[in-house]
Amino acid sequence: MKKCILFIFTLLIASFQWSCSPSMEHNDALIQELLEARPNEFAHILENMDQYEVQIVYTQINRDENNNPTFTTYTHNTDKSRYFYPASTIKLPAALLALEKINTIDKKGLDKNTVMRIDSIRESQTRAFEDSTAAMELPSLAHFIKKVLVVSDNDGFNRLYEWLGQKGLNMGLWEKGYDDVRLTHRLSIPLPTEENRHTNPIAFLAGGEVIHQQEPLYSDRDIKAPDTILKGRGYLEEDTLVNEPFDFTNKNFIPLEDLQMILQSVIFPESVAVSARFGLNPDDYRFLYRYLSQLPSETEYPNYDLEQYHDAYVKFLMYGSEKGQNIPSNIRIYNKVGIAYGYVTDNAYIVDFDNNVEFFLSATIHTNSNQIFNDGIYEYDSIALPFMQDLGQAVYQHELKRKKTNAPDLSRFKLAYEKPHSDMKLGNFHDLEAAYYQYHLSEFGHRWIAYDSVARDVNQLKASDKFKVTTVGTSIDGREISMVQYGAGKIPVLLWSQMHGDESTATRAMMEIFNFLNTNDQFDPLRETLAQELSIYFIPMLNPDGAELYQRRNILEIDMNRDAVALQGNESLILKTAVDTIKPKFGFNLHDQNRRYNAMGTSNPATISFLAPPADQDRTHTESRIAAMKVIAGLNKVLQEIMPGHIGRYDDTFEPRAFGDNIQKWGTAAILVESGGAIGDREKITSVKAHFIGLLHALEIIATGTYQKNDIEDYLNIPENDTKMVDLIIRNATITRNGKDYSVDIGIEITDEKDHDQKVFYRKGTIKDIGDLSVFHGYQTIDATGLYLKPGMLYIGASGHEHLLKTGYTGILVENDLSGDYHFEQIQKVCDPENYKPIIAIDEPADLVLFNKEGNVRFTILNGAVFDWEKGFNNFKNALYF
């Protein structure tokens, strides 16, 4: 079948295992009772509620036996029509939209950690070419967001504003249902209205080269309040008192209930409508959880002055921003505050890990007794912040006493931070996960990585006295294969990657490990331990010819992992020679497995799988195999913290030709690591990070000998791999045959095809199974109960793609063969109508339509990607290619 198909790379909207709807009760009674029960703290506030413009939103969370949450929300004095100045609370939605926007751009090496260069073309604008507070002293979206969340940095927000543009910032929230939002200006920079419509030109760089540019944006929308908003009786303007109300008509605004719902959409994405979620991937969520809750004292970059940026600096609820407040490690507050013009606001999700407490609390109060704005005289310290502290404590004490049927499992929110908490005593490895992005290399963000890029980075290590780089041979096509040595200790360890050319995850991790080892920072004790105790030998990209073609086998079509005995290929002989010469005590055989594996008995993809290969047919527990099992047991403990339930154990059938099995037989403790699938992460960015953390941890426990304390039973208890994952399952769809209806499940697999000339992937969705698929799990699932399934149709003529897709067409006839041009135009382009006849059959294209009894299309499945028409046409930018 010859089709001119144009595809898009897509992103994850994080998927969790619950689904629930919040219950919003505009009921003052509960909150009123909590306030009245503490007259010493709240009597004055209750007597002057309107003067202080107090609004409170409190959400209780209850879990069922499967840890699924339900929500009951109570409000007090809330009114979306009553204006309050939100100040810095708007920085959270800006951060979310900034991440969403970068995720929608499919360019190699472009993500939130990519170096960002902000230029200026107008007198009111400023440049940002460097950032002395970042680890590498270069700006990035990730670092701006981090500063925004940890200490509410205003410049960081302004850079996000420049990335989004005024129009993009507002429309991004309006499209998610936040209709009352008005975000019109930067913070702490008093610019005219017209200047805030303009933004700076922006470029993103990888390897010193520009990989993406954004021209200056201009907002042509007049965004302001529908009615004039005047407050107070006067204001200062350049030290002159103006005796007339202050005008907030063109100021930022977002309702308090919207702020809490936005935070809830981050903490519990599945609890809000799909249309209200942000286009974030799993790493984005962990990134946000970390920096919403990280304290300044736990932050390495920037290294904050703790006299000014104390732990309660932006934790108003419960702690009131008082210096000297000790926030215990069992309490975590995931929040964003705002303070300006006398308004103090906090929007928080609060957790107590020791006492199984969790709740949302959002509040705002205004203190400006003289009714003069801009004079700096507001009752922050005497009224507003004490109110916030007392309110948080009152609700927290209520939650401690409130009976719950099921204790929550809050492990997802237990994170590593850049520095240890003041009441924690942890080893030098505790915060490596938090610091990962200091060493991350965004240029290796895609699976197809070039030999030249790897060779360049490896050759650059020759300039460092920490490494010894040698050429150990050449591939069949003449590409040099290098070995990198770090350390000169008595325990030799060998790691090799990309024995199969299309399995690049570990190579990408190695490049980041080299970056880590070549740095000096708080992890120097770990580096010194590794260098003193181990001699570590890395062979990145053992099969460069296969890697260049992005194929499993080498250029002779030999599977190198079945060539350990015959040694028919140059590359196989290079590895065997290295093993014979180095005589490693431990060997790490690093591979990628396919996305069909799940951890046995679960719906979780096996994102990482391990094996201590057998040395014989009897699978004997030899000395070297036991050592490998103990190292893997330690690895499993660490990675379960990062991706709980997503670790598998590979089949241990003896393969007499394989390197892992033979190296085990030759006396090296061989450890096989396989990188599998993860929801929303076809580029395996999650797995690269897991390799980085896991391999460094493995090297540490080998260097210290602590692996020997692990029990092999912990290895044997890792769930075995099963093969029950498919990309998309359509359950309970009705198909009609000969006038009779049948209910079936459809399993769809999305494979990655490649264009060698353009070096890009495109994706091919194929029906792989039909029938009872109840034992299978989908990276994405559609419940099609009550819906009818039919093949998509071919349209001949000119029409808008949205109209066609929504009326059952999945292809459009074109005159020329455009294959090789993979810029997505939201419909399949077909050159030969005779060959485009989709049917519902195994191994046929996944071009399908689900419609209701009235004939209205509910879902369009285009090449395996899903249009959900309840979300609207624009949802395809987040179509779920899992």
Side-chain angles (χ1 to χ4, degrees):
M1 182 176 293
K2 188 178 183 183
K3 293 190 291 182
C4 312
I5 304 172
L6 311 184
F7 300 106
I8 188 171
F9 292 95
T10 53
L11 307 167
L12 164 72
I13 294 177
S15 176
F16 300 100
Q17 299 300 315
W18 60 79
S19 180
C20 42
S21 298
S23 169
M24 182 67 73
E25 297 187 9
H26 289 273
N27 179 357
D28 284 10
L30 176 60
I31 298 175
Q32 183 83 12
E33 291 171 7
L34 294 176
L35 299 181
E36 289 178 349
R38 295 185 172 215
N40 291 340
E41 291 93 340
F42 299 118
H44 178 66
I45 299 295
L46 287 168
E47 292 168 2
N48 300 278
M49 190 69 72
D50 290 337
Q51 173 191 333
Y52 291 125
E53 302 179 40
V54 171
Q55 298 185 56
I56 302 170
V57 183
Y58 161 40
T59 297
Q60 294 178 350
I61 305 170
N62 293 292
R63 305 274 187 156
D64 67 13
E65 63 277 9
N66 296 316
N67 203 45
N68 299 325
T70 56
F71 305 85
T72 304
T73 299
Y74 301 93
T75 64
H76 188 76
N77 208 36
T78 56
D79 183 349
K80 286 191 174 184
S81 66
R82 184 193 301 132
Y83 181 84
F84 73 93
Y85 183 69
S88 292
T89 59
I90 66 169
K91 294 172 182 175
L92 175 59
L96 304 180
L97 289 171
L99 293 172
E100 179 179 80
K101 181 174 178 178
I102 199 75
N103 288 344
T104 61
I105 303 172
D106 178 46
K107 288 193 177 178
K108 184 177 180 180
L110 183 65
D111 60 29
K112 61 180 174 286
N113 300 288
T114 305
V115 173
M116 188 178 188
R117 185 174 67 193
I118 302 174
D119 211 333
S120 61
I121 59 171
R122 300 175 68 85
E123 187 176 347
S124 63
Q125 296 176 350
T126 59
R127 292 179 173 178
F129 287 3
E130 298 177 347
D131 187 340
S132 61
T133 69
M136 310 303 281
E137 298 192 352
L138 293 170
S140 67
L141 280 176
H143 195 65
F144 288 137
I145 294 171
K146 174 183 174 181
K147 293 190 291 184
V148 158
L149 298 182
V150 175
V151 298
S152 199
D153 184 82
N154 283 334
D155 179 70
F157 166 78
N158 292 339
R159 302 311 183 179
L160 302 183
Y161 183 98
E162 288 154 6
W163 164 236
L164 294 165
Q166 185 190 82
K167 186 175 179 179
L169 180 56
N170 285 273
M171 291 189 66
L173 293 171
W174 296 339
E175 288 174 358
K176 291 174 170 52
Y178 301 109
D179 300 331
D180 299 303
V181 168
R182 302 186 301 273
L183 304 181
T184 61
H185 59 86
R186 296 167 174 87
L187 297 178
S188 76
I189 305 175
L191 296 178
T193 300
E194 179 65 19
E195 286 303 304
N196 277 311
R197 293 175 184 261
H198 292 269
T199 65
N200 310 40
I202 295 174
F204 291 87
L205 297 85
E209 300 294 327
V210 173
I211 61 171
H212 181 71
Q213 287 183 294
Q214 176 174 284
E215 297 301 318
L217 303 176
Y218 178 74
S219 175
D220 57 3
R221 299 288 294 265
D222 187 19
I223 303 171
K224 64 180 181 179
D227 300 308
T228 302
I229 301 174
L230 302 176
K231 293 274 188 178
R233 63 180 181 84
Y235 59 93
L236 287 183
E237 186 172 25
E238 296 182 355
D239 297 327
T240 299
L241 178 62
V242 179
N243 287 304
E244 58 185 53
F246 189 64
D247 191 351
F248 282 90
T249 307
N250 291 310
K251 294 290 187 182
N252 294 330
F253 176 65
I254 183 169
L256 189 68
E257 289 166 298
D258 286 1
L259 281 172
Q260 185 172 111
M261 191 57 67
I262 288 170
L263 179 61
Q264 185 173 323
S265 77
V266 175
I267 302 298
F268 300 108
E270 289 294 319
S271 72
V272 302
V274 172
S275 59
R277 298 176 206 158
F278 293 82
L280 308 177
N281 61 47
D283 189 73
D284 292 334
Y285 283 102
R286 292 183 66 83
F287 172 85
L288 290 165
Y289 298 160
R290 173 171 294 116
Y291 295 122
L292 281 166
S293 59
Q294 183 165 296
L295 304 175
S297 62
E298 296 170 320
T299 305
E300 184 72 24
Y301 296 97
N303 188 9
Y304 290 111
D305 176 2
L306 300 185
E307 178 65 24
Q308 177 182 359
Y309 298 104
H310 48 90
D311 280 357
Y313 180 71
V314 289
K315 305 297 179 188
F316 297 165
L317 289 167
M318 290 188 68
Y319 295 100
S321 195
E322 287 187 16
K323 291 183 180 180
Q325 284 276 15
N326 177 35
I327 302 178
S329 60
N330 61 296
I331 301 287
R332 281 292 166 183
I333 302 175
Y334 307 77
N335 75 314
K336 189 70 205 70
V337 303
I339 182 167
Y341 295 120
Y343 288 96
V344 174
T345 307
D346 198 348
N347 178 35
Y349 169 65
I350 299 174
V351 170
D352 180 345
F353 294 112
D354 290 352
N355 294 295
N356 293 317
V357 166
E358 60 173 338
F359 60 95
F360 287 98
L361 183 60
S362 308
T364 186
I365 184 173
H366 186 220
T367 54
N368 185 14
S369 61
N370 68 10
Q371 294 293 293
I372 303 296
F373 288 94
N374 288 338
D375 63 353
I377 303 173
Y378 306 111
E379 293 74 43
Y380 292 141
D381 294 330
S382 59
I383 296 177
L385 292 171
F387 165 75
M388 285 290 179
Q389 179 174 351
D390 293 338
L391 176 64
Q393 290 291 342
V395 176
Y396 171 68
Q397 292 299 323
H398 176 72
E399 283 286 330
L400 283 174
K401 298 172 185 175
R402 188 170 71 85
K403 292 184 179 180
K404 306 176 187 70
T405 303
N406 301 289
D409 177 1
L410 301 170
S411 58
R412 187 162 61 90
F413 301 106
K414 292 182 178 180
L415 304 169
Y417 296 95
E418 293 174 22
K419 292 181 182 178
H421 190 279
S422 58
D423 66 0
M424 288 177 145
K425 293 186 171 80
L426 298 172
N428 62 6
F429 197 79
H430 79 283
D431 55 356
L432 187 56
E433 183 194 1
Y436 167 71
Y437 285 106
Q438 297 175 31
Y439 319 105
H440 171 65
L441 300 172
S442 58
E443 66 181 293
F444 294 110
H446 286 252
R447 284 168 292 156
W448 195 341
I449 59 175
Y451 165 78
D452 289 343
S453 297
V454 173
R456 178 203 64 212
D457 283 17
V458 168
N459 282 328
Q460 288 175 355
L461 297 176
K462 294 177 180 178
S464 171
D465 58 6
K466 295 183 177 182
F467 300 96
K468 180 181 178 182
V469 180
T470 56
T471 299
V472 290
T474 58
S475 69
I476 291 167
D477 265 8
R479 294 181 173 90
E480 289 188 353
I481 298 173
S482 296
M483 178 185 289
V484 178
Q485 180 182 351
Y486 179 85
K490 60 183 180 298
I491 304 173
V493 180
L494 177 63
L495 304 90
W496 63 97
S497 70
Q498 227 161 335
M499 171 183 282
H500 294 140
D502 58 355
E503 299 177 3
S504 64
T505 300
T507 303
R508 295 155 63 190
M510 278 189 190
M511 297 300 105
E512 296 181 346
I513 289 173
F514 295 153
N515 194 23
F516 168 83
L517 294 174
N518 203 28
T519 303
N520 292 106
D521 56 26
Q522 73 270 27
F523 294 104
D524 282 348
L526 174 58
R527 297 182 184 93
E528 291 168 8
T529 297
L530 299 183
Q532 291 171 6
E533 302 298 329
L534 307 180
S535 291
I536 310 171
Y537 300 87
F538 301 88
I539 305 179
M541 199 174 277
L542 183 61
N543 179 8
D545 299 343
E548 199 67 8
L549 295 173
Y550 203 77
Q551 67 181 30
R552 176 182 177 87
R553 295 170 179 252
N554 73 0
I555 203 68
L556 295 179
E557 297 293 339
I558 294 172
D559 184 339
M560 290 175 56
N561 206 23
R562 299 296 181 265
D563 196 29
V565 178
L567 300 174
Q568 294 170 314
N570 291 13
E571 303 89 351
S572 306
L573 185 59
I574 288 169
L575 179 57
K576 179 62 165 65
T577 301
V579 172
D580 291 343
T581 303
I582 296 168
K583 295 180 171 53
K585 184 171 182 179
F586 292 89
F588 288 82
N589 189 9
L590 306 174
H591 288 264
D592 286 56
Q593 64 188 10
N594 72 47
R595 291 166 43 82
R596 309 302 153 219
Y597 287 110
N598 61 296
M600 181 78 74
T602 77
S603 60
N604 298 330
T607 305
I608 297 291
S609 294
F610 296 113
L611 176 65
D616 53 37
Q617 295 282 1
D618 296 330
R619 310 180 193 186
T620 304
H621 286 190
T622 61
E623 181 180 347
S624 64
R625 192 179 185 206
I626 290 171
M629 289 177 176
K630 290 184 174 183
V631 171
I632 292 172
L635 269 168
N636 181 56
K637 290 176 186 176
V638 168
L639 294 185
Q640 286 288 357
E641 292 293 319
I642 299 172
M643 48 183 67
H646 290 265
I647 309 298
R649 181 161 53 89
Y650 211 75
D651 175 66
D652 67 349
T653 301
F654 179 68
E655 169 49 67
R657 301 168 297 161
F659 264 99
D661 304 59
N662 279 283
I663 286 175
Q664 198 81 268
K665 182 168 66 176
W666 299 333
T668 294
I671 297 161
L672 175 70
V673 185
E674 295 271 3
S675 171
I679 292 175
D681 186 15
R682 293 188 75 93
E683 297 305 323
K684 296 196 172 184
I685 294 170
T686 303
S687 297
V688 172
K689 181 178 178 180
H691 273 69
F692 175 90
I693 294 167
L695 291 176
L696 285 172
H697 179 67
L699 293 171
E700 181 191 34
I701 62 178
I702 290 171
T704 59
T706 52
Y707 74 92
Q708 299 178 56
K709 297 178 183 178
N710 295 327
D711 194 325
I712 65 169
E713 289 301 317
D714 292 334
Y715 165 80
L716 297 172
N717 287 333
I718 298 172
E720 293 184 3
N721 277 354
D722 199 359
T723 52
K724 295 294 191 296
M725 297 298 301
V726 295
D727 289 288
L728 171 63
I729 293 180
I730 303 172
R731 297 200 188 277
N732 308 314
T734 299
I735 58 175
T736 302
R737 182 82 175 188
N738 298 327
K740 185 177 180 180
D741 291 346
Y742 301 88
S743 180
V744 299
D745 300 336
I746 306 288
I748 293 171
E749 182 176 304
I750 299 172
T751 56
D752 296 313
E753 310 297 324
K754 53 187 179 291
D755 181 308
H756 290 287
D757 294 331
Q758 295 195 26
K759 290 196 173 182
V760 295
F761 290 114
Y762 59 95
R763 291 175 183 159
K764 181 179 179 182
T766 306
I767 298 172
K768 299 305 293 184
D769 205 349
I770 300 174
D772 178 6
L773 304 185
S774 57
V775 300
F776 286 86
H777 314 287
Y779 283 91
Q780 184 186 8
T781 300
I782 296 175
D783 182 359
T785 302
L787 299 177
Y788 292 81
L789 183 71
K790 68 177 183 180
M793 300 181 292
L794 176 65
Y795 186 83
I796 301 175
S799 181
H801 296 162
E802 175 180 3
H803 168 74
L804 293 178
L805 291 167
K806 201 168 183 178
T807 51
Y809 294 93
T810 53
I812 185 169
L813 182 66
V814 297
E815 293 183 2
N816 299 317
D817 183 347
L818 301 178
S819 57
D821 178 6
Y822 302 112
H823 294 90
F824 183 71
E825 293 190 23
Q826 294 168 326
I827 199 164
Q828 297 202 35
K829 293 191 172 181
V830 179
C831 310
D832 183 356
E834 293 302 315
N835 286 328
Y836 188 79
K837 296 178 180 178
I839 60 173
I840 301 173
I842 291 174
D843 292 331
E844 289 296 318
D847 298 324
L848 307 167
V849 178
L850 283 162
F851 58 97
N852 59 24
K853 290 182 178 180
E854 291 73 35
N856 298 318
V857 175
R858 175 68 174 82
F859 295 96
T860 301
I861 317 299
L862 176 62
N863 195 45
V866 179
F867 282 79
D868 182 346
W869 294 108
E870 281 193 354
K871 305 175 195 175
F873 182 62
N874 289 333
N875 86 93
F876 196 80
K877 69 181 180 181
N878 288 322
L880 304 184
Y881 271 127
F882 284 143

